[in-house]
Amino acid sequence: MCRLLARFRCIHTLVEIEDSGVYRTLLVAAAGFTVTGLGLWEWSANSIAPLLTFWAKVAAAHDGRDSSNTAICGDVIAATLPRVVGDHLRAMVQATARVASGESLGDSPLENTDALLENMALAASIARASYEASGAAVLAMAREMAGEYQALLNGGQAGADAVAACEAQLAWPVYAVAQCIGARQPYKAQADDDAADAEMFAVALELDHVVRQRLQRGVGGGPSEALELAFLHLHHSFRAAYIGEQGYKATAVYARLAALVGLRDSGQVLALVLDKLLFNLRTWPPASPVVLRSLQLFHDLSVGYVSVRQVAKLDAVTALLAGHSAEGFRFLGAVDAYKPRALYYAGLARILFSAPDAAPPAFAAFMRPWARLVDELVAMPDAQLAADHVRPGLVRVLRDLRGFLSAVSSKSNYTLFFDWMCAAQRMRLVHRCVEMRADATVQIAALKFMAEFVFNRTQRLNFDVASPNGILIFREASRAMWAYGSRILDERGAVRDVYKERYKGVAVCFTILARLVAGKYVAIGVMPLYGDTALERAYRVAVELLKQFPVPDVIAYPKLGKATTALLEVLLAKPNIDLVPLDDAAYEHVMRVCVEAFDHAETAVSSSACGVIDGVLTAAIESEGSDIANLVRARSADITTYLLRAMLNIVLFEDRPNDWSFSRPLFCLILLDTQFALQYTSQIVQYQPAERREDLIKALKDLLSSTEFVLTTANRDRFTQALTQYRREVAAKNLILMVPTSQTLGAPVDILAYSIEESASATAQDEAEAAMVD
């Protein structure tokens, strides 16, 4: 019943019946059913979302301020919406209390954060439709529960269990306030709504202040993770609603906040939010989701054009930039997690470069702690650098630099980092880490830093024409790839973890080379002319690494398969294919990897594989007599037919979302071996039941005769359109086709010479033979 209500198209279907008495009866019955369902949450947990969905749809069609809209059942809707919001909130609080006291054996609804936020978002959309009453209900409940919490603390006998249970329940009104503020729509908001938001936000801030005072006094045990996540969501929602890119737009919220808690503008709110984030980063353990959520909010503050400039003016941020590697942040001491460090330093980088005029001196001051650390590490001998107590520091500094560099988006700022890294010979540390065979973690950290270093993100590596920086970057990356790849090729023995010790690093090497070639900031075609071996070594080690690994392994590991196809698509494109040392064995291996990639879980990988085949075959067709053309022609009997059979099986028998990608190389394959394509499709027809052959032959004839198989863009496009039409015909006629096997087939059918009369005669003959057998 709950799902039926959720599927009711309220905005359209209810409009058709709202003039009848059924409409009021339906709403009254649904209201009573919803109240009962919310009260029985423990026994019907999956019914909450459908019920809220129904009333959210009703609320979307109802506007309490529109008198013409409220004339029809407006009294029922206006009375029901605040009740639904309040009952849902009370049901969640009661469910959390029962779980905390042990009365319920089920899981706490606070544990599933995704479902919690989804349901609260629905409740907030319901509340916004009748905000005067619903907002008042949420505010009253928040004040009531905050008062009970304050009374518990003032009692002097607050045990840790009682405080933990109370704070877990307090998470619900905080989430409700956060979602109500986050659901604000500027074009609908009025001054009274903003004032209500201010009052709810002020109550939540006062509650946060009480909780922090309790923690500082050491009363009632440790902090509540659920409540802290609710506070963070509150700050996120307020920032999105009132401190976005239109943060300077005047609203009534700050006038009311100034009267309630003394916050007069968005800058003071940002200062309060940042103080909260820094407190969390200093007090919570690194593995806690509170730390990650705090860092995500800090990262969000640094993204907006307006907010990052407001944040950069805060005294706390100035102190943070001066001591960003402070030991007070416990998560910076962890080695395993990269994402928290990346969020932290990416946010600091955006804040640092928010004022372009002050970038060079500010950058030099910011990098000074790293400069001392990196210079000390570079000066260490190899044995000391590989010591157990030094290697975690290597991983941390490489990941910190990578996270910082990921947020550098302009050429001028990247040049500052490039000069800092290369002019002082600090890149030697990266190469020494790549060559450190004793620790795969250090090697991967160094390679991933190199992958970010060569990434032409937002065209930040487009140097001036006379600048040698692009060539220097290519040489550094080629040297790292050669060092790592040569070690992998030399080690033939078994390893404990083949992905961590081999495939993971190889995937990063492939990513480095793909970014180098796709970045187009180096004229790689001229490098062999002046004797630069960086290009030849990079291409050679990449091809040898690809040939070494079995085809099933390349695809079995998703990241390796994705990196492999991305590299091949760039490497074997028309401008670069003549520079790649592609021999017979490498060509066969590449094609088999691409066929395996057709079944990859990610559609983008199969599309990249199609792009690889299309690039190779197009180059072979257009450059008759070249090395790649001779290679393709020499393996036409096995490789070309193998590719053609695999692609026809996919295109004709499967429904893929990327038919366009498959149509491009299929056109080239049919062009190269039209006879085999006709032969194989005729075998497919013969293998189908007699009642399906006529429709299939007609569809295949339209496909194969749609265009002339000559390599032009127009012919390609016509073939792609014909393939789409083939799909439509097969779907319209509900043709379920069977893939041919190796068993004996009948005589092949000449599809292009097919006619209706011949088909009717053949069908009659088959029926006569079947009757004689009977």
Side-chain angles (χ1 to χ4, degrees), residues 28 37 53 76 130 145 159 192 225 258 280 287 382 426 469 527 554 584 596 614 624 633 662 766 769:
V28 172
T53 300
V76 177
S130 56
M145 295 186 64
D192 292 341
E225 183 176 284
N280 288 342
D382 292 340
R426 296 187 176 101
N469 292 350
M527 296 180 76
V554 175
D584 187 80
E596 287 288 331
D614 182 41
E624 191 68 30
R633 294 290 181 185
F662 280 96
D766 291 341
E769 292 177 355

Side-chain angles (χ1 to χ4, degrees), residues 696-715:
L696 179 59
I697 292 174
K698 183 179 181 304
L700 289 175
K701 180 181 179 180
D702 293 341
L703 174 63
L704 296 176
S705 61
S706 61
T707 185
E708 182 182 3
F709 285 96
V710 177
L711 192 61
T712 64
T713 302
N715 288 340

Side-chain angles (χ1 to χ4, degrees), residues 36-213:
T36 304
L38 293 175
L40 299 175
W41 178 89
E42 186 177 356
W43 311 107
S44 57
N46 294 331
S47 66
I48 300 297
L51 292 174
L52 293 177
T53 300
F54 172 79
W55 288 107
K57 290 179 179 179
V58 173
H62 170 79
D63 188 351
R65 300 187 180 95
D66 188 354
S67 57
S68 62
N69 185 279
T70 58
I72 302 174
C73 298
D75 55 336
V76 177
I77 297 174
T80 304
L81 295 185
R83 185 179 179 187
V84 170
V85 174
D87 287 352
H88 171 252
L89 196 55
R90 280 187 289 272
M92 295 299 100
V93 172
Q94 292 172 5
T96 304
R98 287 174 57 84
V99 172
S101 63
E103 299 179 20
S104 174
L105 300 178
D107 296 332
S108 172
L110 290 169
E111 294 180 2
N112 190 345
T113 308
D114 294 336
L116 181 156
L117 293 178
E118 181 179 353
N119 290 342
M120 293 303 295
L122 292 172
S125 64
I126 297 171
R128 278 284 176 179
S130 56
Y131 206 46
E132 182 177 357
S134 299
V138 173
L139 179 60
M141 189 170 185
R143 283 176 172 167
E144 179 184 354
M145 295 186 64
E148 293 175 356
Y149 177 71
Q150 184 71 63
L152 176 65
L153 297 180
N154 294 337
Q157 298 179 351
D161 293 340
V163 171
C166 186
E167 290 187 351
Q169 297 172 51
L170 280 169
W172 288 106
V174 176
Y175 271 122
V177 170
Q179 291 294 77
C180 286
I181 294 176
R184 175 182 182 266
Q185 296 176 333
Y187 65 93
K188 287 186 177 180
Q190 297 185 2
D192 292 341
D193 296 341
D194 292 346
D197 286 347
E199 291 189 16
M200 290 191 289
F201 187 62
V203 170
L205 291 181
E206 292 173 355
L207 176 61
D208 187 16
H209 180 68
V210 172
V211 172
R212 188 181 297 192
Q213 285 184 331

Side-chain angles (χ1 to χ4, degrees), residues 607-664:
S607 298
S608 296
C610 293
V612 174
I613 299 175
D614 182 41
V616 172
L617 298 182
T618 301
I621 295 170
E622 291 182 342
S623 56
E624 191 68 30
S626 63
D627 292 340
I628 188 63
N630 295 333
L631 187 59
V632 172
R633 294 290 181 185
R635 301 301 301 272
S636 177
D638 53 353
I639 297 299
T640 303
T641 55
Y642 166 72
L643 293 173
L644 191 49
R645 183 183 293 107
M647 283 208 165
L648 283 173
N649 286 342
I650 291 175
V651 169
L652 300 181
F653 298 106
E654 300 180 20
D655 187 10
R656 297 290 186 99
N658 53 342
D659 281 340
W660 186 94
S661 300
F662 280 96
S663 69
R664 315 310 274 190

